[in-house]
Amino acid sequence: MKTKSQWQELGQSLNFRNLAYINGRFQPSASGETFPSINPATEEVLAEVASCDQADVDLAVTAARKAFQAGVWSRKSPAERKAVLLRLADLMEQHRDELAVTDTMDMGKSISEMVSIDLPDSIDCFRWTAESIDKVYGEIAPTGNDTLGLISHEPVGVVAAITPWNYPLMMATWKLAPALAAGNSVILKPSEKSPLSVLRLAELATEAGIPDGVLNVLPGYGHTAGKALALHHGVDVLAFTGSSRVGGMLMEYAGQSNLKKVWLEAGGKSPMVVFDDCSNIEKAAQTAAAAIFSNQGEVCIACSRLYLQRSIKDRFLTALLEAASAYQGGDPLDPDTRMGALVDKAQLDTVSRYIKSAMDDGATVLTGGLPEYIPGRGFYVEPTIIGDAKNSMTFVQEEIFGPVLAVGEFDDEAEAIELANDNRYGLGASVWTDNLSRAHRVSREIQSGMVWVNGWGGGDSTMPFGGVKASGNGRDKSLHSIEKYTDLKTVWISL
Ligand code: NAD
């Protein structure tokens, strides 16, 4: 691992790509407009980035459609597409330090997380999906003797992917790998808060052999570039990761335009439930801290609601407060930093508002609290744990997306399940117990797409990632992710 000064040096030496990537070329936005991309730890402007709108979306959709119809990618054999995507994974590996430092400077997360989580996961996602694509078979239906019923998977055409700022490279990768592997053309709109790493990724994709027009990247705001993509009649599938609020708007845009399919990976307010038969309280407490403070709590699966069985509450809180003290905010480029800066001032204000509302509602701040913002010094919040939390309180119900943990308590299993399910989201859940039957019972009853037993956040490219209820509908990763980017074609042949 590089030292802090080596990371700083690398960051200073980078020439950030800041233009739209359309048809294999960087170009300014049609309007000439730009927006600043800011380093949240220092508030310095890293780059003025092309701000795309309808005109750029039209250009990108035309390029993407033309490439798709020409068959330069869509009609390549799966084995050929696999080879190109494996080359892209190799290029990401070669440029991993550059990609890591770009996301760290662009959105404020610690470099150690970039190096240990985002980069290996993103590279593996490309490799695993590329390796899978020439192993996906069609089917022959069990029809009668005088017919042959063929069922095959076809690429959908033009995919628009709209992604958030919290894992800029990784969230983009989870869409790009399956969409490209399946033979589609893709237009990616990254968040305006962290657009830089995927612009470099697009360039590497061309170097790997992705033909022009097959991968386009349009930086820009949600209400301009994002909305124009979502309303576009030339887009066949919209794959989104972001808030449930915007996810709902995208469904409306699809309804107002061409009924494009909309896949949503949306928000969360995941519970962690710890039963008194959990023997490893230390480990559970350390995991509870990691589950809310890693990536500054800006994690869709952050366990922001902790429910403790009453008899272990005090012992658990002592261990939790100790574990939380390791997450004080620091320079994201320092490899020892475990918590970086929030992405921007708006996010800092949102987090402050929720901490204030918790205090107004009568909850008790056990550590951390309202941040003191010093202009020019970055957007930092202390790890904050708030006890006496009740499900009726706003900060327990709504997604905060910051390092703020609500702690409540329960008496028995039925109450734990009821508290965990009393929320509009259903993304992840963490359950701690030494009782195998209880682990199965509670996992089955909890309304969420993912459950971790005696852990949090576990998963790899083989496992689907996604939620239920207001957390969305689609699944990223695993073979199931490919289903989002293919249509079933049936051919009924009369013999
Ligand atoms: P957001 O919804 O504000 O923005 C997400 C993307 O949508 C951005 O690119 C944004 O520019 C775009 N957008 C905004 N308004 C739009 C509009 N009207 N039309 C089209 N596009 C629009 O979310 P965010 O703040 O970037 O990210 C945080 C959210 O993402 C949290 O809710 C988090 O839980 C969620 N998230 C979910 C997952 C998951 O896998 N379920 C993973 C990561 C983040």
Side-chain angles (χ1 to χ4, degrees), residues 69-354:
Q69 280 171 350
V72 286
W73 182 249
S74 55
R75 287 197 213 109
K76 279 210 183 318
S77 71
E80 287 173 302
R81 292 199 298 265
K82 170 171 100 172
V84 172
L85 292 175
L86 289 176
R87 254 194 319 272
L88 175 56
D90 290 345
L91 285 170
M92 290 169 77
E93 189 94 56
Q94 275 170 36
H95 294 274
R96 59 190 298 153
D97 284 357
E98 175 193 344
L99 292 167
V101 89
T102 301
D103 268 358
T104 287
M105 291 175 76
D106 208 12
M107 67 71 64
K109 73 165 66 193
S110 74
I111 191 75
S112 55
E113 279 198 32
M114 273 313 295
V115 170
S116 63
I117 298 172
D118 300 41
L119 254 299
D121 182 292
S122 304
I123 293 167
D124 188 62
C125 182
F126 268 115
R127 288 215 173 106
W128 191 91
T129 316
E131 281 292 356
S132 308
I133 200 65
D134 60 352
K135 288 139 196 109
V136 176
Y137 288 76
E139 297 162 43
I140 295 177
T143 57
N145 267 345
D146 53 356
T147 50
L148 180 62
L150 302 177
I151 304 169
S152 58
H153 304 272
E154 303 212 317
V156 294
V158 176
V159 172
I162 300 182
T163 50
W165 46 263
N166 62 334
Y167 288 87
L169 190 67
M170 198 165 106
M171 290 302 103
T173 297
W174 289 6
K175 313 285 184 214
L176 293 178
L180 290 171
N184 298 288
S185 296
V186 185
I187 301 160
L188 172 67
K189 195 211 81 69
S191 169
E192 59 276 24
K193 299 184 186 189
S194 57
L196 300 178
S197 59
V198 292
L199 288 167
R200 180 72 177 116
L201 180 70
E203 201 178 24
L204 294 178
T206 298
E207 194 180 329
I210 300 259
D212 292 351
V214 172
L215 172 57
N216 308 275
V217 180
L218 300 182
Y221 291 102
H223 62 275
T224 52
K227 184 173 177 181
L229 271 173
L231 280 169
H232 208 289
H233 285 258
V235 170
D236 301 297
V237 160
L238 188 55
F240 171 76
T241 299
S243 63
S244 303
R245 184 183 66 82
V246 172
M249 291 161 77
L250 299 189
M251 290 180 124
E252 285 184 28
Y253 298 153
Q256 287 162 25
S257 52
N258 59 341
L259 300 187
K260 57 179 71 65
K261 273 186 226 139
V262 181
W263 298 111
L264 303 177
E265 313 286 340
K269 188 77 184 178
S270 299
M272 179 179 286
V273 178
V274 188
F275 289 95
D276 62 6
D277 57 19
C278 163
S279 58
N280 199 340
I281 294 285
E282 285 301 314
K283 183 176 171 214
Q286 279 163 17
T287 308
I292 185 65
F293 302 133
S294 24
N295 207 33
Q296 308 75 244
E298 297 162 327
V299 183
C300 55
I301 54 167
C303 281
S304 46
R305 296 183 289 142
L306 173 64
Y307 298 106
L308 302 173
Q309 195 150 17
R310 213 174 295 277
S311 55
I312 55 163
K313 191 186 108 185
D314 292 344
R315 195 152 63 93
F316 194 98
L317 282 179
T318 306
L320 176 64
L321 289 168
E322 166 75 31
S325 62
Y327 286 87
Q328 301 306 322
D331 182 344
L333 289 175
D334 183 340
D336 291 330
T337 293
R338 292 180 75 179
M339 209 168 83
L342 294 187
V343 73
D344 63 6
K345 180 70 167 50
Q347 194 63 16
L348 185 79
D349 291 342
T350 301
V351 171
S352 307
R353 214 172 43 245
Y354 278 111

